[in-house]
Amino acid sequence: MDKNNTDIYVQLLKDRGLRVTPQRLQILKYLNIHKNHPDVTTIFTALRKENPALSKTTIYNTLEALAEHGLVQVLTITPTENRFDAGDRMHHHFLCKHCNKIYDIEIECPHLNRMLEGEFKVDEVHGYFKGSCPSCLKENAKNDHIQNKNIKGLKKDTSKC
Amino acid sequence: MDKNNTDIYVQLLKDRGLRVTPQRLQILKYLNIHKNHPDVTTIFTALRKENPALSKTTIYNTLEALAEHGLVQVLTITPTENRFDAGDRMHHHFLCKHCNKIYDIEIECPHLNRMLEGEFKVDEVHGYFKGSCPSCLKENAKNDHIQNKNIKGLKKDTSKC
DNA sequence: TACCTAAGTTGAAATGATTACAAATCGGGT
DNA sequence: ACCCGATTTGTAATCATTTCAACTTAGGTA
Ligand SMILES: [Mn+2]
Ligand SMILES: [Mn+2]
Ligand SMILES: [Zn+2]
Ligand SMILES: [Zn+2]
């Protein structure tokens, strides 16, 4: 449960028959501590500080291996780059199209049972919302007061609950 | 209702204050006829045949404009390229990770009301499932019989209903 | 109808994410 | 300590998307 303790990550890898390497431990630990859904470049830039020899290719290779074994999730919520999340617990996500931040959304979902009339074999379930986050809405309201300049695509929501 | 009649697309554009251009009509009609969630290159390759001067940049520009006005949806279901869908009716999608096909999934979803405790302004709701489609499952079973070679990541689903 | 201009289109070049590949290194079993 | 297949690394493709400036056009106006 101690996210800073390397031993648990060693065990997670061993349990899955994956070799234990410093890079895998590094990346696994990073994702479990930083729950802000980083992209490859963000992870790379951060981890390179403690390990200057780290290669970006390793980040790609490692994330692919970890994802294949259910240790990380790949979020395809952005139109451009993949974002990553530790663990395999399904939960919903909200992407703010202004600041590009991804928020965890904890709501009930009847689709979690991962079955679709038995015809498809479902490995992953993703629930994505996109729009404007509270912080950007607030920022926009402030600017509106000063100047009549709206954030692109930011209009009043007229849907009723 | 006649997907081949250009007039309805002209009207859709005019209703939104968008200029009516042959390229926009072409793309709009294409997406309304081909409901297989194509990517930019697929659209480009297809439309180029009837209009050799068409530019890929125009596909990007047009899709962006149409998406902004709710005439098309951008699906970020694949890790690599964006896929597109006509209209703005929300529905779920299934991505087969073997053949890369995207299926429409018609199921009830309680999140369609597009509100999240009033804190976020939700513009889009996406429900994505990923796994193996019936066709690929069948194909895989056949090959398994001949040779003991499994499609990568294709394991038995043990979830109960 | 002829004209004007902002909006749209085009193609080439830049950018950025991801993949391919081959050589160097390393984990873990003997 | 040794060995070998797995992993890491750096470089060079590849591929989707964006930028940009010149050219063209849709649609409003006289
Ligand atoms: Mn998350
Ligand atoms: Mn669809
Ligand atoms: Zn935001
Ligand atoms: Zn398939």
Side-chain angles (χ1 to χ4, degrees):
Chain A
M1 201 51 158
D2 178 4
K3 290 187 195 307
N4 285 289
N5 183 6
T6 296
D7 295 347
I8 51 174
Y9 303 116
V10 171
Q11 199 54 48
L12 286 176
L13 293 171
K14 284 187 174 170
D15 288 347
R16 288 157 181 79
L18 290 170
R19 284 202 182 168
V20 180
T21 70
Q23 293 86 347
R24 287 177 176 177
L25 290 174
Q26 219 185 165
I27 293 169
L28 208 39
K29 180 191 279 193
Y30 182 86
L31 282 177
N32 277 91
I33 293 178
H34 301 85
K35 308 306 295 276
N36 48 339
H37 316 96
D39 61 7
V40 167
T41 301
T42 302
I43 300 171
F44 177 61
T45 305
L47 298 187
R48 175 176 241 195
K49 285 169 190 161
E50 29 179 301
N51 175 9
L54 183 64
S55 164
K56 191 177 265 195
T57 302
T58 298
I59 312 273
Y60 280 101
N61 292 339
T62 301
L63 288 171
E64 184 184 28
L66 297 180
E68 234 157 55
H69 290 267
L71 291 176
V72 313
Q73 297 177 61
V74 185
L75 306 184
T76 61
I77 193 172
T78 282
T80 43
E81 7 70 53
N82 290 326
R83 305 280 287 261
F84 297 87
D85 205 350
D88 69 343
R89 192 190 114 262
M90 195 285 182
H91 52 282
H92 290 68
H93 289 98
F94 179 94
L95 169 70
C96 176
K97 290 195 278 189
H98 306 295
C99 66
N100 222 32
K101 273 206 270 281
I102 296 176
Y103 296 79
D104 282 334
I105 303 291
E106 308 296 349
I107 50 181
E108 279 304 308
C109 183
H111 306 318
L112 290 183
N113 54 33
R114 301 185 167 220
M115 278 300 262
L116 296 173
E117 290 100 52
E119 301 219 53
F120 296 81
K121 188 173 86 53
V122 180
D123 296 324
E124 304 174 35
V125 182
H126 299 261
Y128 297 149
F129 301 92
K130 307 187 186 186
S132 310
C133 77
S135 163
C136 286
L137 286 171
K138 193 171 303 174
E139 188 62 32
N140 181 244
K142 191 192 304 172
N143 295 344
D144 262 4
H145 189 254
I146 313 283
Q147 207 179 30
N148 207 331
K149 183 187 291 182
N150 273 36
I151 292 178
K152 172 177 159 191
L154 209 166
K155 323 149 201 140
K156 264 70 183 170
D157 189 342
T158 56
S159 66
K160 40 234 162 269
C161 182
Chain B
M1 200 54 157
D2 178 6
K3 290 186 196 304
N4 285 291
N5 182 6
T6 295
D7 295 346
I8 52 174
Y9 304 116
V10 170
Q11 200 52 49
L12 286 175
L13 292 172
K14 283 187 174 170
D15 288 346
R16 288 159 181 79
L18 290 171
R19 284 203 181 170
V20 179
T21 70
Q23 293 87 347
R24 287 178 176 178
L25 290 174
Q26 219 186 165
I27 294 169
L28 208 38
K29 180 192 278 193
Y30 182 86
L31 282 178
N32 277 90
I33 292 178
H34 301 85
K35 309 304 296 274
N36 48 339
H37 316 96
D39 62 7
V40 167
T41 301
T42 302
I43 300 171
F44 177 60
T45 304
L47 298 187
R48 175 176 242 193
K49 286 168 190 161
E50 30 179 300
N51 174 10
L54 182 64
S55 165
K56 191 176 266 196
T57 302
T58 299
I59 313 271
Y60 280 102
N61 291 339
T62 301
L63 288 172
E64 183 184 28
L66 297 180
E68 233 157 56
H69 290 267
L71 290 176
V72 314
Q73 297 177 58
V74 185
L75 306 184
T76 61
I77 193 173
T78 281
T80 41
E81 8 70 53
N82 290 326
R83 306 279 288 260
F84 297 86
D85 205 349
D88 70 342
R89 189 189 117 262
M90 195 285 181
H91 52 282
H92 291 68
H93 289 98
F94 180 94
L95 170 71
C96 177
K97 291 195 276 188
H98 305 294
C99 66
N100 222 31
K101 272 207 271 282
I102 295 176
Y103 297 79
D104 282 334
I105 303 290
E106 308 294 350
I107 49 182
E108 279 304 309
C109 183
H111 306 318
L112 290 181
N113 55 34
R114 303 186 164 217
M115 279 299 263
L116 296 174
E117 290 97 52
E119 301 220 52
F120 296 82
K121 188 173 85 56
V122 179
D123 296 323
E124 305 174 35
V125 182
H126 299 261
Y128 298 149
F129 300 93
K130 307 187 186 184
S132 309
C133 77
S135 163
C136 285
L137 285 171
K138 193 171 303 175
E139 189 61 32
N140 181 242
K142 192 190 305 170
N143 294 343
D144 263 3
H145 189 254
I146 313 284
Q147 206 179 30
N148 207 330
K149 184 187 287 181
N150 273 39
I151 293 177
K152 172 178 158 190
L154 209 166
K155 323 149 199 141
K156 264 68 183 171
D157 189 343
T158 57
S159 66
K160 40 232 161 271
C161 180

